[in-house]
Amino acid sequence: PGHEDRWERVLVSLTDITARKKAEAYLEYLGRHDALTGLRNRSFFSDEVNRLDRRGPWPISVVVVDVNDLKAINDETGHAGGDALLRRVGEVLRKAVEQPATASRIGGDEFAILLPGVDERGCEQVVEQLHELQALNNQFNAGSTPMSLSIGRATSGDKDRLEAVLHRADEQMYQAKRNYYAKRGH
């Protein structure tokens, strides 16, 4: 009889440890990922930029993506509609990258892809794939709000600081966004 009591206590203790470990792993996941899209988050992105700045491999390409019309979509369909669109953007970005590349949500409707060891041509191919996946996603979700993205890209020169590369990609993305809204008469 005494052995049975001890066995039950050990079993309860193991169960508690398993639950705590799962909770810790989930908290660690949330610390590095965006809960809405499942992509990496800004904290991970900043750490990865710093790591790549120190260690490479060069060249490093960056693609920045901004969702067009998200505010209007939120106003028209509510935040549930905007969130659904952001999840779709996450799906597209996830499909477009493979390790060691990473896709992150770095702001409300802003995303970035880090492409270590990828030159300009490889970066162009990723952007082309993004456009193809965006078109496919829009076809598949024909009854939903169409996804429209403004995209910028840049590739490091020899040991460029990644902040400078990000700035060039941002400038290109903002120009694409200005062109998008100019065509729509905004």
Side-chain angles (χ1 to χ4, degrees), residues 69-82:
D69 296 319
L70 185 63
K71 183 183 179 329
I73 292 163
N74 279 335
D75 291 346
E76 289 170 24
T77 64
H79 286 281

Short mmCIF file of all heavy atoms in Angstrom, two decimals, residues 69-82:
data_model
loop_
_atom_site.label_atom_id
_atom_site.label_comp_id
_atom_site.label_asym_id
_atom_site.label_seq_id
_atom_site.Cartn_x
_atom_site.Cartn_y
_atom_site.Cartn_z
N ASP A 69 -4.19 49.53 -48.47
CA ASP A 69 -5.61 49.72 -48.11
C ASP A 69 -6.07 49.01 -46.84
O ASP A 69 -7.28 48.83 -46.66
CB ASP A 69 -6.54 49.28 -49.27
CG ASP A 69 -6.36 50.13 -50.51
OD1 ASP A 69 -6.21 51.35 -50.37
OD2 ASP A 69 -6.36 49.56 -51.62
N LEU A 70 -5.17 48.65 -45.95
CA LEU A 70 -5.61 47.92 -44.75
C LEU A 70 -6.57 48.76 -43.90
O LEU A 70 -7.57 48.24 -43.39
CB LEU A 70 -4.42 47.46 -43.90
CG LEU A 70 -4.81 46.60 -42.70
CD1 LEU A 70 -5.47 45.29 -43.14
CD2 LEU A 70 -3.61 46.31 -41.82
N LYS A 71 -6.30 50.06 -43.77
CA LYS A 71 -7.18 50.91 -42.98
C LYS A 71 -8.60 50.92 -43.57
O LYS A 71 -9.58 50.76 -42.85
CB LYS A 71 -6.63 52.33 -42.88
CG LYS A 71 -7.49 53.23 -42.00
CD LYS A 71 -6.97 54.65 -41.99
CE LYS A 71 -7.80 55.59 -41.14
NZ LYS A 71 -9.20 55.34 -41.00
N ALA A 72 -8.69 51.07 -44.89
CA ALA A 72 -10.00 51.08 -45.55
C ALA A 72 -10.70 49.73 -45.35
O ALA A 72 -11.92 49.68 -45.12
CB ALA A 72 -9.85 51.38 -47.04
N ILE A 73 -9.94 48.64 -45.44
CA ILE A 73 -10.51 47.31 -45.25
C ILE A 73 -11.03 47.16 -43.82
O ILE A 73 -12.14 46.65 -43.60
CB ILE A 73 -9.48 46.21 -45.61
CG1 ILE A 73 -9.22 46.25 -47.12
CG2 ILE A 73 -9.93 44.84 -45.15
CD1 ILE A 73 -7.97 45.54 -47.55
N ASN A 74 -10.25 47.62 -42.84
CA ASN A 74 -10.70 47.58 -41.45
C ASN A 74 -11.97 48.42 -41.26
O ASN A 74 -12.88 48.02 -40.54
CB ASN A 74 -9.61 48.06 -40.51
CG ASN A 74 -8.58 47.00 -40.19
OD1 ASN A 74 -8.86 45.82 -40.27
ND2 ASN A 74 -7.38 47.43 -39.86
N ASP A 75 -12.01 49.59 -41.92
CA ASP A 75 -13.19 50.46 -41.81
C ASP A 75 -14.43 49.80 -42.43
O ASP A 75 -15.52 49.90 -41.90
CB ASP A 75 -12.94 51.82 -42.47
CG ASP A 75 -11.93 52.66 -41.70
OD1 ASP A 75 -11.63 52.31 -40.54
OD2 ASP A 75 -11.43 53.65 -42.28
N GLU A 76 -14.24 49.13 -43.57
CA GLU A 76 -15.36 48.52 -44.30
C GLU A 76 -15.82 47.20 -43.68
O GLU A 76 -17.01 46.94 -43.59
CB GLU A 76 -14.97 48.26 -45.76
CG GLU A 76 -14.84 49.50 -46.60
CD GLU A 76 -14.22 49.21 -47.97
OE1 GLU A 76 -14.31 48.05 -48.44
OE2 GLU A 76 -13.63 50.14 -48.54
N THR A 77 -14.87 46.35 -43.31
CA THR A 77 -15.23 44.99 -42.89
C THR A 77 -14.99 44.74 -41.40
O THR A 77 -15.22 43.63 -40.94
CB THR A 77 -14.42 43.95 -43.70
OG1 THR A 77 -13.03 44.10 -43.39
CG2 THR A 77 -14.65 44.11 -45.19
N GLY A 78 -14.49 45.73 -40.70
CA GLY A 78 -14.14 45.54 -39.29
C GLY A 78 -12.77 44.90 -39.18
O GLY A 78 -12.18 44.48 -40.18
N HIS A 79 -12.28 44.84 -37.96
CA HIS A 79 -10.92 44.31 -37.77
C HIS A 79 -10.83 42.82 -38.09
O HIS A 79 -9.76 42.33 -38.43
CB HIS A 79 -10.43 44.61 -36.35
CG HIS A 79 -10.06 46.05 -36.18
ND1 HIS A 79 -8.87 46.56 -36.63
CD2 HIS A 79 -10.75 47.08 -35.66
CE1 HIS A 79 -8.84 47.85 -36.38
NE2 HIS A 79 -9.97 48.21 -35.78
N ALA A 80 -11.95 42.11 -38.03
CA ALA A 80 -11.92 40.68 -38.40
C ALA A 80 -11.53 40.54 -39.87
O ALA A 80 -10.75 39.64 -40.22
CB ALA A 80 -13.27 40.04 -38.14
N GLY A 81 -12.04 41.41 -40.74
CA GLY A 81 -11.68 41.38 -42.16
C GLY A 81 -10.23 41.72 -42.37
O GLY A 81 -9.53 41.08 -43.17
N GLY A 82 -9.73 42.73 -41.66
CA GLY A 82 -8.32 43.11 -41.76
C GLY A 82 -7.41 42.01 -41.24
O GLY A 82 -6.38 41.70 -41.84
#
